[in-house]
Amino acid sequence: MDDDGTRGVRGSSADRVPGPALPPPPTTPPRVPAPAAGPRPGATPVEQHPTKPGPASPAEQPVPGAPVDAWLRTPRPPQEPGVWRYGYTPPPPEEPEGVSNRSLLVGALISLLSALLLWSLWRNGYLPYRLVPLKLFTPGEWWNPGTSGGPRTIEGSDALTVYEAILFGLLAYGCGRIGNFSELFRRHVADRGQPFLALAAAAAAGLTQLLVWKEALPVVRPVLVLVASVAGGEIYQSQTVVNVIYAVIAAAVLYPFARLGCWRELIAARRATATPAPDGTAAAPAAATSADQWPELRTAGWADAADTLTAEVRTGRMNDVDVARLRHAWTLATRRPDRLAPLAEAVLRTGGAAALHPSGHRDLPRRGARHDVLTGQVRIGRCADDPHNPYVRRGTGLALEPALLGTSLLAVGPPGAGKTARLIRPVVEALALRALAGQAAVLAVGGAGAPLGPDDAFDVVVRLGHPGSAHDIDLYGGTTDPDEAAAVLAEGLVGDVGSLDSRRAATVLAQLLGPYRAAHGHFPSVPELRELLDGTPAALAGLRASLEAAGHHAMLRELDARSRQAGGPGDPAPALADRVALLDRPAFTGFFATGPDARPFSLRALGQHPLRVRVDLPERGHAEASRLLTRLLLAQFTAITAARTDTTLFACLVLDDATHAVTAETVRGIRRLRSVNAGAVLALRTVDDVPETLHTPLLGAVGCTAAFSGITTWDGKRFAEAWGKEWVETREVAQHTVFADQPFTRALHALRKLVTGKAVTTDAVTVRQVERERWSASELAYAVPAGHAVIRLATVKGEHAPPLLVHLDG
């Protein structure tokens, strides 16, 4: 273990970035990794954490062997909060509720039979006054006398032929509109796609041509009559002209079917498939502004650096993390022009390895979720096809990103619901990838053995209570201000005790921490702090002697004030001593060290470096101490991130189990995180793990909430109230019995009741707008299937999405 020359010390300070725990990766970076299966039972640690990543997944990255430029050029259109943007295609417009297929077919058949009957009656002369409209617009000498008299001359016969053709066209059009043949064609022919559409259109065209040339359909004779009336009958003396007219008729009959069957598009697609593109044509559309050619570098005048990175991408020597890291580094460099030249020179010298993460890693050893590092999204599931979800969100991927996590996330679900495996670990993995790209810092806190990721996926792994831990935690958060250290430590020690005022507890700690630091130059260790809180005479006398020798009169007054208040009513010192005693156990010997040689890890490093930190808590043997430490880490994180001045890095705290860790002060701190580019992810088994007075403030402080399957109706009620209501349209149907007045009608009603067994009724439908809960408590408790969760998302900019039922596949 590299301890930088110290002995018996765990950790690193905030000013030093922890080095990699494992050797750096090979010179050639791996391809873009894909989700890998979990460790097999019985595997050794080396087998469970291989350093060689698995193959790429085609769902979010190029297939194995394909360059990253295909992934880089994939569109990522801006969408609503939580939409998986990689390769997103919007769904087709929502179709209104139409008639059923059975009703559609019956209606079309009835319309067709009615049209055939009407046309048969017309052709056989059973319809009276059928020629009256024609006789009104033609000379009378063309017709025999009477309303039903037929044509007398050849001109009258020709006019009747054209008249019948016009009436047949109107009848066919009306039959098609009434029978809704267009919808029937769309459902059962067009929706099947090619080549069925083209074949069906060709079959219909052949049948129509046969009926046309057999003169079952009035098309040929009316056309010949019209041509003769315009050009004269002598035109038919030329066989060539006759053939041309017939060809035009055949083409005119085929044209509508060619449009319906999309013959031109089908032929063009088959030609494009059959004819291979010549070399170089595939790369021709890629203009100089395409994403894989680094247009931002070319615009700034660094074309040679852009060419180097383009070659690295095309040849597969860069992965998605390298692309995101260099893009972020270039964005930061543009804010300070003096950094542009060194960055460009580093790119020319090392290519995709420029601006590396301090650990030297260019990727995680293994990924278990689907990531788009360019946008920082991690896909955790798919929106279910459920009436609760809006139509545009059904079937779309749901993803989390820093813009959402910046509002903090609260996940509630019973054990086994999948909070850790399907939500917490993908989020930690995404933040770790973003840290490798230099854009985030993550602190993951969980019990020993929690599946938050392998050790080599983190820069710092703190195993509290484990003798082999290489790092330690600073109880005082790396601060040198006694009042600040006392406030945070008091929140961690007794913040969950409702009968104690944390401000009084902070005052008691400050009255001891200040004098001790003034006398010794550092804060007390856990055993020393316990002795001071217990009021041990020897400890207090030794501290007083040190202060008198150094001449710290102000600190002597602080110590005297503590001595006067000790043992009084409401003195929080005994409670503080009892909580400190939880950490003064043999299992924690050597931890929480202080002094000049101690260099424990401080959370202040998260605001300065893109670190990946994991803290393992001894939940099994020291459950109460683990909760105390979780509460302390949450308090330190909210205090440190709120006080930092440089908010370039996104800092996130992930608590796999936040039971009894939330206090009134930390709720206020969580509310302030979104303004300092930070966030927290809290997982609870039930909302009752938080004091009842904090239920409403906590749900109001976080922007993202997730209710997993299996929660109770009490928890569901709190979520339903937090998510609010919406206006919905309801239909109420009331059946009223029909009472007949006429004897014949009463007889018919009696006969119908005798046959059906039901009285004759009429329906009264009432449609109105009512305001209802988006998800009721009962629905959240009983209608959420296993492996699903109802998730509500919001961004730091104020955009939000309604609660969505999501199938978790993270």
Side-chain angles (χ1 to χ4, degrees), residues 567-632:
D571 183 18
L576 290 170
D578 291 341
R579 289 300 178 88
V580 173
L582 295 174
L583 303 180
D584 189 17
R585 304 297 301 165
F588 298 112
T589 301
F591 285 88
F592 317 119
T594 58
D597 296 333
R599 301 181 64 184
F601 174 76
S602 172
L603 264 62
R604 293 187 179 274
L606 292 174
Q608 303 173 10
H609 309 288
L611 293 178
R612 303 165 294 166
V613 183
R614 193 188 78 203
V615 178
D616 295 342
L617 301 175
E619 289 184 344
R620 295 183 179 178
H622 304 273
E624 193 62 31
S626 298
R627 294 174 182 176
L628 186 152
L629 292 171
T630 303
R631 191 163 53 248
L632 178 62

Side-chain angles (χ1 to χ4, degrees), residues 87-468:
Y88 173 80
T89 55
E94 184 177 8
E95 299 179 359
E97 295 184 3
V99 296
S100 62
N101 289 334
R102 179 179 179 181
S103 301
L104 192 63
L105 291 173
V106 171
L109 181 60
I110 292 176
S111 176
L112 180 60
L113 294 177
S114 301
L116 291 176
L117 176 62
L118 187 62
W119 181 245
S120 177
L121 294 176
W122 167 269
R123 293 295 299 268
N124 293 292
Y126 290 106
L127 295 180
Y129 311 107
R130 65 188 186 96
L131 298 180
V132 172
L134 180 60
K135 291 181 179 181
L136 292 177
F137 296 96
T138 54
E141 58 270 13
W142 289 4
W143 309 97
N144 292 320
T147 57
S148 59
R152 177 189 298 177
T153 63
I154 297 177
E155 290 82 0
S157 299
D158 294 343
L160 180 59
T161 300
V162 176
Y163 179 58
E164 288 183 345
I166 295 175
L167 289 180
F168 179 82
L170 294 176
L171 181 62
Y173 177 77
C175 173
R177 292 297 300 270
I178 295 175
N180 204 1
F181 278 84
S182 60
E183 179 66 16
L184 186 66
F185 174 80
R186 185 191 65 80
R187 288 191 189 182
H188 298 282
V189 180
D191 287 351
R192 295 192 178 186
Q194 299 289 8
F196 180 83
L197 175 61
L199 293 177
L207 178 61
T208 305
Q209 288 282 11
L210 179 62
L211 296 177
V212 166
W213 298 116
K214 291 292 184 180
E215 296 190 1
L217 299 179
V219 176
V220 178
R221 290 181 62 83
V223 171
L224 296 178
V225 169
L226 289 175
V227 172
S229 64
V230 173
E234 296 80 3
I235 193 174
Y236 295 121
Q237 296 178 0
S238 173
Q239 186 63 34
T240 303
V241 174
V242 174
N243 294 337
V244 170
I245 293 175
Y246 285 162
V248 171
I249 293 174
V253 173
L254 287 176
Y255 179 74
F257 296 97
R259 291 289 302 273
L260 291 176
C262 301
W263 294 355
R264 177 184 296 180
E265 291 80 357
L266 179 61
I267 294 173
R270 292 299 176 89
R271 287 180 177 177
T273 304
T275 305
D279 295 339
T281 57
T289 57
S290 61
D292 64 317
Q293 295 200 5
W294 304 85
E296 59 272 16
L297 273 71
R298 299 182 186 277
T299 303
W302 298 95
D304 48 354
D307 293 337
T308 301
L309 293 180
T310 301
E312 294 266 311
V313 170
R314 296 285 176 84
T315 55
R317 293 194 297 268
M318 288 180 63
N319 58 16
D320 55 348
V321 179
D322 295 330
V323 174
R325 186 186 68 253
L326 289 175
R327 279 175 172 263
H328 179 68
W330 186 263
T331 302
L332 295 180
T334 53
R335 301 174 184 175
R336 298 183 60 178
D338 57 317
R339 296 184 179 180
L340 290 176
L343 178 60
E345 293 175 359
V347 169
L348 292 175
R349 185 174 61 257
T350 60
L356 271 180
H357 185 263
S359 66
H361 295 171
R362 298 173 64 174
D363 205 345
L364 296 179
R366 183 177 56 191
R367 302 188 191 183
R370 299 169 58 180
H371 300 272
D372 184 20
V373 187
L374 204 60
T375 58
Q377 288 189 319
V378 53
R379 191 181 188 276
I380 63 171
R382 172 180 51 83
C383 295
D385 187 6
D386 187 84
H388 286 92
N389 293 342
Y391 172 77
V392 295
R393 299 302 297 269
R394 298 174 189 173
T396 61
L398 189 82
L400 296 177
E401 57 183 308
L404 299 171
L405 299 178
T407 64
S408 298
L409 186 148
L410 176 66
V412 179
K419 299 188 300 298
T420 301
R422 301 185 179 186
L423 179 64
I424 299 299
R425 174 159 182 172
V427 169
V428 173
E429 198 173 83
L431 293 172
L433 287 172
R434 203 160 181 83
L436 290 178
Q439 304 175 41
V442 56
L443 172 62
V445 181
L452 300 180
D455 294 349
D456 47 359
F458 296 91
D459 303 310
V460 176
V461 177
V462 182
R463 296 185 178 90
L464 293 174
H466 192 284

